[in-house]
Amino acid sequence: MAETLIPLDVEHAKGIIQLSRAVGWSFDLADAKTLLSAGHAFGVIDDKNELIATATAIHYDHRLASLGMVIVHPNHQKKSLGKRVTKACLQSLQINQSMICVATEAGFPLYKKLGFEPLHTIYKYTTNHVMAPKERIFRSFKEEDIKPMIELDAIATGSNRSHFLKKRFKQAEKVLVKYDANGQMIAYGAAIQGEHMRVIGPIVAKTQQDFCLLSQELAVDAKTPMRIDVPTDRYHDELVTIGFTIDATPWMMGYGRSDSPYEENYHYALAAQAYG
């Protein structure tokens, strides 16, 4: 049986959705198109031209990339296809560019063998309902907010994610911001409403209070289950109080780096597990 490695583009979005459903994941068309258009994507097709494995490498800038959407069809596992597509993503890295990924339990051994090292735990919270905030202190995003938003994000993540963020915001149900009295942006956050799940993130805030209130405001009116992924457990009490419960604790892993990309003095939620 011929199994061929190929680059992927947005024309493969429907194939990715079908593949993700085969392993119980919930990508929708907008998610697939963002992943395919924001970076480098690779897949393996069989002799029927059907997609049986995928991986994506989103290159934020010359310093950092994120590995995601590593999927192998259940009927084609134990053939090293996950290794094959992941190595293709690693080969797309520039000199001195590091890569991060959020590892599922099944993926952890593969990434470890390929040179990734555990950095820290990611805390994944889910809920069907959150408590309404007592007040609304954030305003909706305007076009003039994009530059200060990208600058704030770059400080918190250590990389310029402008290309990715612009594409992600086109998917967003909500994008909210907050400025201080001096006109400096001090918090932003987005909520991405999918067919089956609302993802809360990315979020960056200078204070823990703003982070927690922003999480609540982005989640409050969802008609579907919700998820937020954070790189620390320091928000646990606040998130539980408004209605979230801890769902999983996967590892953030790094290739070519031994430290977290996130600035510890800022408060951060991932864009999603596939993006970091």
Side-chain angles (χ1 to χ4, degrees), residues 15 55 100 112 127 140 152 159 162-163 185 187 197 221 248 258 262 272 274:
I100 56 172
K112 190 83 166 91
T127 186
S140 296
L152 177 62
S159 61
S162 58
H163 178 67
M185 183 176 287
M197 176 78 67
D221 58 353
S258 58
Y262 310 126

Side-chain angles (χ1 to χ4, degrees), residues 81-248:
L81 297 182
K83 179 179 180 181
R84 193 173 175 185
V85 290
T86 302
K87 287 182 72 174
C89 289
L90 291 173
Q91 289 166 1
S92 75
L93 293 176
Q94 302 172 39
I95 296 173
N96 298 323
Q97 186 180 31
S98 63
M99 177 174 273
I100 56 172
C101 72
V102 180
T104 62
E105 185 177 351
F108 186 96
L110 167 65
Y111 305 139
K112 190 83 166 91
K113 287 180 181 178
L114 291 175
F116 286 84
E117 293 295 336
L119 301 179
H120 57 80
T121 302
I122 295 295
Y123 297 84
K124 176 181 174 182
Y125 291 85
T126 58
T127 186
N128 292 319
H129 175 76
V130 299
M131 181 189 306
K134 293 181 180 178
E135 58 178 335
R136 302 290 176 95
I137 63 173
F138 305 94
R139 71 159 173 80
S140 296
F141 166 82
K142 299 177 181 178
E143 284 300 319
E144 60 261 32
D145 298 320
I146 190 65
K147 185 174 184 292
M149 184 181 293
I150 289 170
E151 291 172 350
L152 177 62
D153 185 86
I155 294 171
T157 65
S159 61
N160 185 328
R161 305 195 301 171
S162 58
H163 178 67
F164 161 69
L165 289 174
K166 289 173 183 178
K167 289 185 175 296
R168 190 63 169 162
F169 292 158
K170 288 181 179 179
Q171 284 185 256
E173 177 83 4
K174 294 182 185 179
V175 181
L176 302 175
V177 300
K178 183 181 179 183
Y179 289 81
D180 65 14
N182 297 317
Q184 295 294 312
M185 183 176 287
I186 56 174
Y188 89 82
I192 314 300
Q193 183 62 59
E195 183 179 352
H196 306 291
M197 176 78 67
R198 175 177 290 189
V199 176
I200 309 303
I203 295 175
V204 172
K206 286 192 173 183
T207 70
Q208 183 164 332
Q209 181 180 23
D210 277 346
F211 175 90
C212 295
L213 289 172
L214 185 50
S215 302
Q216 187 175 11
E217 193 164 329
L218 289 167
V220 68
D221 58 353
K223 302 297 190 295
T224 64
M226 291 158 275
R227 188 181 84 233
I228 184 170
D229 302 335
V230 295
T232 174
D233 63 354
R234 60 179 155 175
Y235 317 118
H236 179 80
D237 290 347
E238 290 94 337
L239 290 173
V240 169
T241 296
I242 65 173
F244 283 94
T245 57
I246 192 77
D247 182 71

